Amino acid sequence: MSITRENVNRRMSKIVRHGNTLYLAGQVGHPGDSVEAQTEETLRRVEALLKQGGSSREHMLQATIWLSDMRYYDAVNAVWDAWVPEGAAPARACGEAKLANPGLYVEVIVVAAVP
């Protein structure tokens, strides 16, 4: 089974496709924006990569959400819940981690099926 990579640089690929499975690199918003604005931008970026890779929100299999502080959990979930299509919620984990930039509050990693 072949592996294809898109949006590749020395460090990473934003999209890796293996068979009918799409793996996205972690996506973030703009440092310094509110957690809600960062979450909205992050999900716009996830959706654009899903589309580029031939998938969609309806085909997400798994999502990992990293928060810089768990106090953002409810705010992120409010944006997430409005974004995920009804009946298409992926398997999901959410935890706290130190993110690459102190102005970042949320990072989302997604694995999706390609129909």
Side-chain angles (χ1 to χ4, degrees), residues 10-93:
R10 183 166 174 82
R11 183 169 294 151
M12 67 177 209
S13 301
K14 286 192 177 180
I15 301 171
V16 175
R17 183 174 178 166
H18 180 250
N20 290 329
T21 305
L22 203 63
Y23 302 86
L24 304 184
Q27 298 300 301
V28 297
H30 301 289
D33 284 357
S34 70
V35 67
E36 294 86 358
Q38 284 189 30
T39 305
E40 289 167 357
E41 177 61 22
T42 297
L43 296 178
R44 274 192 292 276
R45 292 176 181 189
V46 165
E47 190 162 8
L49 290 173
L50 287 169
K51 183 177 179 180
Q52 181 181 337
S55 190
S56 67
R57 293 181 292 164
E58 292 80 9
H59 294 93
M60 290 188 299
L61 302 171
Q62 182 180 33
T64 303
I65 300 174
W66 292 115
L67 304 176
S68 64
D69 190 310
M70 288 305 290
R71 68 186 164 141
Y72 299 132
Y73 185 76
D74 290 338
V76 169
N77 278 335
V79 176
W80 174 266
D81 291 347
W83 181 78
V84 173
E86 183 72 31
R92 193 185 103 160

Side-chain angles (χ1 to χ4, degrees), residues 30-33 38 100-106:
H30 301 289
D33 284 357
Q38 284 189 30
N101 180 312
L104 292 172
Y105 307 129
V106 60

